Amino acid sequence: MRSFKQLWTKKTWVGLGLGQFLSLLITSTGFSSSELAKRGIDAPTSQSFVNYVLLAFVYGITMISRRTVLKAKWYYYIPLGLVDVEANYLVVKAYQYTSITSVMLLDCWSIPCVMLLTWLFLKTKYILRKIIGVLICVAGLVAVIFSDVHAGDRAGGSNPIKGDALVIAGATLYAISNVSEEFLVKNAGRVELMAMLGLFGSIISGIQISIVERNALKSIHWTTGAALPFVGFSLAMFLFYSLVPVLLQTSGATMLNLSLLTSDMWSVVIRIFAYHEKVDWIYFLAFAAVVVGLIIYSVADEEEDIGQANVSDVAVESRKPLDEEGGSGNREIDVRRTITEGSSSST
């Protein structure tokens, strides 16, 4: 049994804290998209375009100043950029057809997708305690779904079924993007990943804007009320993308997606304090369930790391006597060889 101090290490705290900050950022992007949709602004790719340009500019300059060489093949980032752009497009587009709660709830579909992909391609092993943590988190979300159905919140939007389908498709692409980013950040580094994703994301989204959203951008009447959510979305996305690789590197794609489950809970907090709306008590129960599930997953992850480290130490220690015996055996052979050579030279 591991002690409390052993399990609650810096990695555990960083994983939980950073995960919740990312969850708040994604909540703010959700509210920005919802506000733009209410104002009749339908330009999902344009919203993400500014973020990709910022990533390419900031991290591209960092790479140039450091004179770093690409560790991964440059063309690996083309499909990643395409998948990421389309994932953002589908999820942001969904706000035109369904409610913000539905988008945030259905976005959790990325969790089983991520677990399957990491198991298949990254050979990630999930011990029973991790799976229990995931199930508790998802149970919390199921409770929220029942609360939303009871309150009639999910009925919002012009075409909820179409919106829900867009979210599920986008969540699947997010899972592919997250797993790819986890692989690349561990093999190529955070700066390279962000710079190249920003570069190809800008190119792909720029082409898509010129084909799909050109007329939509021309029809927008830019006021302060329209510009602020647009700028807020771009800045929140830039911070989100910049910090995601840190969590992927320390805790993995599954921990990232589990942390983002609480975005729906944070949206409730904003609705209570900013919009003075009343919410069902089930939300608070669900929030507690998700937090407990995250803690179980994080502690299980840390315990697994400690166990692996101890196994490695035992393996090293177990080799020492063998090495020593092997060394003494070699010395005996050397002595015999010297005596033999000395005898043969004297004769």
Side-chain angles (χ1 to χ4, degrees):
M1 185 73 180
R2 308 293 174 195
S3 68
F4 184 82
K5 253 186 178 179
Q6 274 185 307
L7 297 176
W8 286 95
T9 61
K10 184 180 177 181
K11 179 184 173 183
T12 307
W13 287 112
V14 168
L16 289 170
L18 184 56
Q20 289 315 295
F21 183 64
L22 290 171
S23 183
L24 282 169
L25 288 174
I26 211 68
T27 303
S28 65
T29 63
F31 272 92
S32 299
S33 297
S34 184
E35 285 296 315
L36 290 170
K38 287 177 184 177
R39 295 175 183 275
I41 298 173
D42 182 14
T45 312
S46 301
Q47 287 178 229
S48 302
F49 176 72
V50 179
N51 165 53
Y52 291 122
V53 170
L54 285 172
L55 289 173
F57 180 75
V58 173
Y59 291 99
I61 288 177
T62 305
M63 280 193 71
I64 292 168
S65 63
R66 292 179 181 177
R67 297 179 180 178
T68 52
V69 181
L70 288 179
K71 295 178 182 177
K73 301 292 184 182
W74 64 270
Y75 47 81
Y76 286 177
Y77 295 99
I78 297 176
L80 175 61
L82 181 62
V83 167
D84 201 73
V85 168
E86 299 313 318
N88 285 326
Y89 173 81
L90 291 171
V91 172
V92 176
K93 185 75 174 176
Y95 286 97
Q96 301 291 328
Y97 304 103
T98 190
S99 68
I100 182 174
T101 308
S102 293
V103 173
M104 290 186 171
L105 288 174
L106 292 171
D107 205 27
C108 71
W109 167 250
S110 60
I111 294 169
C113 294
V114 162
M115 293 187 76
L116 178 63
L117 291 171
T118 51
W119 178 69
L120 286 174
F121 298 105
L122 301 184
K123 307 302 178 187
T124 303
K125 293 180 180 178
Y126 294 99
I127 60 174
L128 180 60
R129 199 175 298 180
K130 282 187 177 182
I131 295 170
I132 291 171
V134 172
L135 290 175
I136 292 173
C137 286
V138 174
L141 264 293
V142 171
V144 177
I145 291 172
F146 280 116
S147 176
D148 283 338
V149 170
H150 179 263
D153 182 62
R154 296 185 78 249
S158 59
N159 192 340
I161 295 175
K162 183 177 180 180
D164 292 352
L166 289 172
V167 176
I168 291 171
T172 305
L173 292 181
Y174 272 141
I176 296 169
S177 176
N178 290 159
V179 173
S180 302
E181 286 179 25
E182 181 180 346
F183 172 79
L184 287 166
V185 77
K186 289 177 179 178
N187 290 277
R190 173 173 167 263
V191 174
E192 178 181 317
L193 172 62
M194 290 296 97
M196 299 303 287
L197 178 59
L199 174 63
F200 289 107
S202 301
I203 294 169
I204 293 166
S205 56
I207 294 169
Q208 187 161 307
I209 289 167
S210 65
I211 298 170
V212 180
E213 297 180 8
R214 184 173 52 191
N215 294 328
L217 285 175
K218 288 179 181 177
S219 64
I220 296 173
H221 178 59
W222 291 105
T223 61
T224 305
L228 283 177
F230 201 93
V231 173
F233 178 92
S234 300
L235 293 176
M237 284 293 279
F238 174 73
L239 282 173
F240 179 79
Y241 271 71
S242 297
L243 294 173
V244 158
V246 179
L247 188 59
L248 288 175
Q249 201 160 21
T250 57
S251 304
T254 304
M255 180 62 180
L256 168 65
N257 284 272
L258 286 174
S259 297
L260 297 184
L261 284 179
T262 56
S263 60
D264 187 65
M265 318 307 174
W266 292 122
S267 71
V268 172
V269 173
I270 294 171
R271 281 161 58 185
I272 293 171
F273 292 101
Y275 298 99
H276 306 289
E277 294 182 11
K278 290 183 179 180
V279 295
D280 201 277
W281 61 271
I282 297 177
Y283 272 107
F284 302 102
L285 181 65
F287 184 83
V290 172
V291 170
V292 169
L294 277 171
I295 291 171
I296 290 172
Y297 186 92
S298 301
V299 170
D301 189 44
E302 192 64 38
E303 188 172 21
E304 190 177 26
D305 289 346
I306 293 170
Q308 287 173 354
N310 289 343
V311 168
S312 299
D313 292 341
V314 169
V316 170
E317 289 297 324
S318 64
R319 282 199 299 269
K320 280 184 179 179
L322 295 175
D323 292 341
E324 288 170 3
E325 289 174 9
S328 61
N330 289 336
R331 283 194 294 273
E332 288 177 9
I333 292 170
D334 290 339
V335 170
R336 288 170 186 168
R337 187 178 297 160
T338 305
I339 293 170
T340 307
E341 288 175 355
S343 301
S344 60
S345 60
S346 59
T347 53

